Amino acid sequence: MDTITNSLIKTKLFGGLSLAEVETISPLLGCQQKSCPKGTVLAVTDMPVDFIGIVLSGKLNTYKEDVDGRLNLIRKTGAYEMFGVDIASTPSQVSPLIILCATDADVLTFPYSLIASPGPVPNKFRCVLLKNILELTANQNMRQLYKIDILSRKSLRDRIMLYLTLQMKRKKTSELLIPFNREEFAAYLCVDRSALSRELGRMKKEGLIDFSKNRFRILSDFND
């Protein structure tokens, strides 16, 4: 099994396909692999994005830029997760987002058109891949609905508490390791890092939460 096939078989995009089937598809995709230092920009606002990307190692951050230039964190993408597909599957294929490497990363890309339209990839495999893309995109949309709910809260305290409560309920845990550092958490909540740090400090002092770096516990019930 070659390196590319070994990577593809680990992704949800190729879920439901056997190793032999992925080995059949892999040479047909025209995959390009590259190593990207931290800070590398993979997409910017108004850039054409006609590819599907897969993270092989490292992490990517996807941001939406406000009119005032502030970057709001939309999502983080880790190893064997996809990026770019939600843009490539639109009619315009023009990015409204900024995608950059949060760490050194290795990525794999291939043209979206190869699975969107009949061509070298057999239709029976294309149908599976398109079904997986639909499910992955739907899951992303659901996560965005949660974020909209969080950002609809007027106070920063309510945003923090709702985010932590939703994540703890989803993961069925009383202690949560969030996937953000302070700067990323602030960007996710659409606030300044200094404002977030001050509010977290107040909440800890008041006995609402406890935290160490990015590990959190809720100490007081949050009435949504």
Side-chain angles (χ1 to χ4, degrees):
M1 181 167 53
D2 62 36
T3 303
I4 291 179
T5 300
N6 182 52
S7 299
L8 295 180
I9 196 68
K10 296 177 182 178
T11 70
K12 291 183 179 180
L13 175 60
F14 290 83
L17 296 174
S18 68
L19 175 59
E21 290 170 331
V22 176
E23 287 179 330
T24 299
I25 298 170
S26 179
L28 307 176
L29 295 176
C31 294
Q32 294 187 347
Q33 184 175 344
K34 60 181 178 179
S35 296
C36 304
K38 179 180 178 179
T40 299
V41 178
L42 300 175
V44 295
T45 305
D46 296 330
M47 167 184 164
V49 173
D50 58 0
F51 61 83
I52 291 178
I54 295 173
V55 180
L56 303 181
S57 66
K59 294 181 180 179
L60 311 183
N61 285 351
T62 298
Y63 296 94
K64 182 71 172 68
E65 186 175 14
D66 284 347
V67 292
D68 61 1
R70 176 185 292 175
L71 296 181
N72 297 324
L73 182 61
I74 301 298
R75 60 180 169 268
K76 295 177 70 69
T77 307
Y80 306 114
E81 294 179 333
M82 292 194 306
F83 64 96
V85 65
D86 49 346
I87 305 169
S89 57
T90 64
S92 69
Q93 295 188 322
V94 175
S95 177
L97 305 171
I98 298 170
I99 306 173
L100 57 82
C101 297
T103 66
D104 292 346
D106 291 315
V107 301
L108 189 74
T109 61
F110 61 88
Y112 174 73
S113 60
L114 290 177
I115 60 175
S117 304
V121 179
N123 282 338
K124 63 179 180 178
F125 298 145
R126 287 180 53 249
C127 289
V128 175
L129 296 176
L130 290 171
K131 173 179 176 292
N132 290 340
I133 285 175
L134 179 61
E135 290 180 355
L136 289 163
T137 304
N139 286 335
Q140 282 186 354
N141 288 340
M142 291 303 297
R143 287 192 289 271
Q144 287 304 103
L145 287 175
Y146 286 124
K147 183 174 181 180
I148 290 170
D149 191 14
I150 292 167
L151 296 184
S152 69
R153 305 307 162 105
K154 293 183 179 179
S155 76
L156 176 53
R157 177 167 299 196
D158 283 351
R159 292 184 187 186
I160 294 168
M161 288 296 278
L162 182 55
Y163 171 80
L164 295 177
T165 299
L166 290 173
Q167 291 298 313
M168 288 180 180
K169 285 181 178 178
R170 185 172 70 86
K171 297 182 179 180
K172 298 179 180 179
T173 180
S174 59
E175 186 172 278
L176 178 68
L177 187 67
I178 69 171
F180 309 123
N181 59 33
R182 282 290 178 274
E183 184 175 351
E184 292 169 342
F185 196 17
Y188 180 85
L189 297 174
C190 299
V191 298
D192 292 331
R193 177 178 176 173
S194 56
L196 174 62
S197 296
R198 284 195 302 271
E199 189 58 35
L200 287 174
R202 292 189 193 105
M203 293 169 71
K204 185 174 185 178
K205 186 176 181 179
E206 293 173 24
L208 297 175
I209 62 173
D210 190 24
F211 63 87
S212 176
K213 294 185 179 180
N214 59 341
R215 188 176 297 276
F216 286 80
R217 285 192 302 128
I218 295 178
L219 303 179
S220 177
D221 290 337
F222 173 59
N223 295 319
D224 185 15

